[in-house]
């Protein structure tokens, strides 16, 4: 929590916080992983637990590579690839997507699909050579969010996981708009606060699920 606060303050370039971004951002995911690991320490060899930790490792790689974009634009694609692996791991953790589950949650599913379609249509003319990578990535985000919705359907007390997935979609949407369309006011803060909330809600929900269902 303290690290998250310092990272958000760093986004406003407030002294003395403006110089700590290079430390606080790479520490966010390891701190969250440590919290998750310690909160599920009494679980007996649960494979799901280790998959979550691997997903957070790829999130860390994505965070670090996106911090290096100013040095070399290729790091944007590498960071995108790291987050793509994380998204695919979350999809697997949520037990994939089931149409029957979406039918039961159709108002949420319909709204998510419509928003995703509008966003990609809005961005597509400005993507240039990145049209295919960005489209693949946004398809993965959409699948991840819908998979989280299916997870919520199967686990009624796991709505917080779906909420986290929604925040992920918002955060990545803000990144894309800020990079490809126009500069957003307070973009750094908005992107990071939605990203932090996304990861926190997903991990908190999975932690509760694992602890409740472990032998």
């Amino acid at each position: 929590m303290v690290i998250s606060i310092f990272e958000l303050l760093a986004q406003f370039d407030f002294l003395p916080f403006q110089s700590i971004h290079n430390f606080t951002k790479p520490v966010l995911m390891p701190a969250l992983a440590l919290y998750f690991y310690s909160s599920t320490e009494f679980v007996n060899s649960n494979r799901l637990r280790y998959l979550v930790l691997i997903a957070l490792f790829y999130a860390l790689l994505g965070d670090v590579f996106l911090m290096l974009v100013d040095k070399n634009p290729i790091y944007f694609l590498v960071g995108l690839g790291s987050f793509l692996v994380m998204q695919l791991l979350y999809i697997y953790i949520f037990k994939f997507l089931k149409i029957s589950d979406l039918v039961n949650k159709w108002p949420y599913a319909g709204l998510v699909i419509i928003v995703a379609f509008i966003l990609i249509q809005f961005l597509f003319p400005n993507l240039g050579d990145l049209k295919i990578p960005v489209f693949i990535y946004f398809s993965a985000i959409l699948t991840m969010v819908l998979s989280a919705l299916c997870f919520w359907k199967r686990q009624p007390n796991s709505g917080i996981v779906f909420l986290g997935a929604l925040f992920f979609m918002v955060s990545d949407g803000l990144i894309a708009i800020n990079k490809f369309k126009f500069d957003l006011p307070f973009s750094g803060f908005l992107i990071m606060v939605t990203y932090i909330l996304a990861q926190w809600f997903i991990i908190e929900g999975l932690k509760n699920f694992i602890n409740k269902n472990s032998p």
Side-chain angles (χ1 to χ4, degrees), residues 36-150:
F36 174 78
Y37 183 82
S38 62
S39 299
T40 56
E41 62 181 333
F42 298 110
V43 175
N44 295 324
S45 186
N46 191 311
R47 187 179 64 147
L48 185 59
R49 183 188 187 212
Y50 296 109
L51 287 174
V52 172
L53 292 173
I54 295 171
L56 289 176
F57 171 73
Y58 278 98
L60 167 62
L61 292 182
D63 287 342
V64 172
F65 285 127
L66 290 185
M67 290 174 66
L68 301 174
V69 169
D70 291 340
K71 296 183 178 181
N72 191 328
I74 192 65
Y75 286 124
F76 178 78
L77 284 177
V78 180
L80 205 67
S82 299
F83 279 117
L84 177 60
V85 175
M86 182 211 69
Q87 302 286 358
L88 294 176
L89 284 168
Y90 277 149
I91 291 169
Y92 181 79
I93 289 167
F94 300 150
K95 302 302 181 186
F96 298 100
L97 185 155
K98 291 186 178 180
I99 300 301
S100 59
D101 290 334
L102 293 183
V103 170
N104 286 278
K105 294 283 189 182
W106 67 265
Y108 300 99
L111 184 59
V112 167
I113 293 170
I114 290 171
V115 170
F117 178 79
I118 292 173
L119 181 59
I120 199 67
Q121 285 288 104
F122 178 65
L123 294 171
F124 210 70
N126 299 85
L127 297 179
D129 294 336
L130 295 178
K131 281 185 172 68
I132 293 177
V134 171
F135 180 78
I136 292 172
Y137 183 74
F138 265 87
S139 297
I141 293 177
L142 176 59
T143 304
M144 189 272 287
V145 175
L146 294 178
S147 297
L149 182 57
C150 292

Side-chain angles (χ1 to χ4, degrees), residues 4-17:
S4 299
I5 292 172
F6 280 129
E7 169 61 19
L8 294 176
L9 288 173
Q11 297 299 323
F12 287 110
D13 291 334
F14 288 156
L15 289 172
F17 302 109

Side-chain angles (χ1 to χ4, degrees), residues 160-200:
I160 190 174
V161 172
F162 175 61
L163 182 60
L166 286 179
F167 271 114
F168 230 119
M169 192 175 189
V170 172
S171 181
D172 284 345
L174 291 173
I175 291 175
I177 292 171
N178 192 65
K179 181 175 180 62
F180 298 112
K181 206 69 178 179
F182 52 80
D183 291 334
L184 291 169
F186 307 111
S187 60
F189 174 81
L190 293 174
I191 290 168
M192 285 309 302
V193 73
T194 49
Y195 174 65
I196 290 169
L197 288 173
Q199 293 284 26
W200 170 260

